[in-house]
Amino acid sequence: MMLTKPHPSSRLLLPTTTAFPNPSPNPSRVTALGSGRGRRGHHRVCASSVAPAQPASVAQPTAPALSRVDVLSEALPFIQRFRGKTVVVKYGGAAMKSPELQSSVIRDLVLLSCVGLRPVLVHGGGPEINSWLGRVGVEPQFRNGLRVTDALTMEVVEMVLVGKVNKQLVSLISVAGATAVGLCGKDARLLTARPSPDAAALGFVGEVTRVNPSVLHPIIESGHIPVIATVAADETGQAYNINADTAAGEIAAALGAEKLLLLTDVSGILADRNDPGSLVKEIDIAGVRQMVADGKVGGGMIPKVECCVRALAQGVYTASIIDGRVPHSLLLEILTDEGTGTMITG
């Protein structure tokens, strides 16, 4: 089954009258515990219907203040739904290039942590890697969306992802008011890798053979945010560059996460790749596989879709591909009626 929608507004502020959704067949879209209502529909409750009338002499709140209260009110059922649940977020692409978007993502992540969700951040760092490769005179090369990684490139990848990007993200989370712990796949054998089947062409690009989540559990249970760079080693200690989408999916499955969210540079899966307005709002595994078979999903979207399908098959409840270029896309997907991007269900 496939539902399409126009690209959502990037604004979180809602009108004074708040829309509460009608029933939805998808339990992951339920917005009120025990209410039987989903994330769609227009059952409206006005502020005047849920609060006693105020005497004329009492000063009334301003419209902006009421709008902010409405936002919090709408978010409450979602906070109740996801409180205590693990959410794995893959962060990369354009959202890492813009300081404004980076700040937005980090603040949203911290907000989710503060209201009781258990976020895990898995990151890439392609733009930063490209910049440092240019400094040492190496031209970045890609094959089927994967970085060709020779020995020198692998050294730069590990230096940039583990030593620079990872620690920068940890610092930003700390400044935003939460605590984070920076890790890479090598730490405590969090990720064990093996060479890609196309190793002859790709070099030190690896696949994940095993995830050891035991190092993550005490971090998460203590209220800290794990920040994971996707560099891992094989049984001999050889380092490999792991695709961040793939790593996020495997980590989500190993943790039994409620949601996997991939922040990308596109709005989600499109029913027509030439029509940005044909966003697929929700689709199941069978539907997305059919789209791949029909050639409607191609290029760099295929590894993302495969990553989501594999995570769902291993027990992750839902997986979403969302546009990291949209401010507050994480909050829009998790804490609002409409969501954003494409949600894939099992």
Side-chain angles (χ1 to χ4, degrees):
M1 178 179 177
M2 178 176 71
L3 301 173
T4 63
K5 68 173 180 181
H7 194 281
S9 168
S10 64
R11 294 185 61 198
L12 269 178
L13 291 181
L14 304 176
T16 301
T17 300
T18 304
F20 287 82
N22 286 329
S24 167
N26 187 347
S28 72
R29 294 291 194 186
V30 171
T31 65
L33 296 180
S35 71
R37 295 195 178 275
R39 288 181 69 171
R40 298 178 181 79
H42 301 284
H43 179 64
R44 290 186 174 271
V45 179
C46 297
S48 60
S49 70
V50 295
Q54 297 293 324
S57 60
V58 176
Q60 298 299 309
T62 63
L66 282 174
S67 294
R68 288 193 292 271
V69 170
D70 282 339
V71 169
L72 293 173
S73 178
E74 181 186 339
L76 176 60
F78 298 100
I79 294 171
Q80 293 172 323
R81 168 73 177 83
F82 292 111
R83 184 175 178 83
K85 301 296 179 63
T86 299
V87 177
V88 176
V89 178
K90 179 267 177 174
Y91 175 48
M96 296 190 83
K97 289 189 249 182
S98 161
E100 292 78 14
L101 285 176
Q102 188 175 68
S103 175
S104 172
V105 170
I106 295 300
R107 289 176 62 85
D108 291 353
L109 200 72
V110 170
L111 187 152
L112 293 175
S113 177
C114 287
V115 298
L117 281 73
R118 297 179 166 188
V120 175
L121 186 65
V122 179
H123 68 86
E128 192 77 22
I129 292 170
N130 291 343
S131 173
W132 280 89
L133 285 174
R135 297 187 188 192
V136 298
V138 176
E139 181 70 25
Q141 297 182 40
F142 294 87
R143 183 184 178 92
N144 297 325
L146 298 175
R147 183 184 298 277
V148 177
T149 309
D150 59 15
L152 176 57
T153 301
M154 185 65 239
E155 187 175 349
V156 172
V157 166
E158 185 165 7
M159 175 187 73
V160 172
L161 288 187
V162 181
K164 188 173 189 295
V165 176
N166 185 267
K167 303 314 170 193
Q168 181 182 23
L169 293 173
V170 168
S171 178
L172 288 172
I173 290 171
S174 177
V175 169
T179 55
V181 178
L183 302 163
C184 77
K186 288 183 173 183
D187 294 317
R189 291 182 178 265
L190 172 59
L191 302 175
T192 301
R194 67 183 174 199
S196 163
D198 198 15
L202 292 173
F204 294 106
V205 171
E207 295 181 339
V208 176
T209 61
R210 185 168 63 252
V211 180
N212 175 19
S214 62
V215 68
L216 298 179
H217 291 309
I219 297 172
I220 295 169
E221 290 166 6
S222 297
H224 307 312
I225 301 174
V227 180
I228 303 168
T230 55
V231 171
D234 64 14
E235 299 289 355
T236 70
Q238 172 60 52
Y240 287 91
N241 180 21
I242 310 293
N243 177 269
D245 294 322
T246 302
E250 296 299 323
I251 291 169
L255 289 172
E258 181 78 6
K259 291 182 76 69
L260 167 67
L261 299 107
L262 306 182
L263 271 67
T264 70
D265 292 346
V266 295
S267 56
I269 298 174
L270 303 178
D272 179 354
R273 281 189 279 174
N274 297 318
D275 179 8
S278 64
L279 178 67
V280 176
K281 181 175 183 178
E282 185 175 334
I283 190 168
D284 59 19
I285 290 177
V288 79
R289 283 177 171 163
Q290 187 61 52
M291 289 188 71
V292 173
D294 293 343
K296 293 182 177 179
V297 174
M301 185 59 71
I302 291 179
K304 298 181 189 301
V305 166
E306 290 176 344
C307 153
C308 292
V309 169
R310 181 172 170 81
L312 292 168
Q314 296 181 84
V316 175
Y317 201 61
T318 65
S320 298
I321 301 172
I322 62 178
D323 192 344
R325 301 168 300 178
V326 175
H328 304 298
S329 56
L330 279 178
L331 300 186
L332 286 165
E333 176 60 22
I334 298 175
L335 301 181
T336 69
D337 284 332
E338 291 301 319
T340 183
T342 301
M343 186 177 78
I344 306 174
T345 61

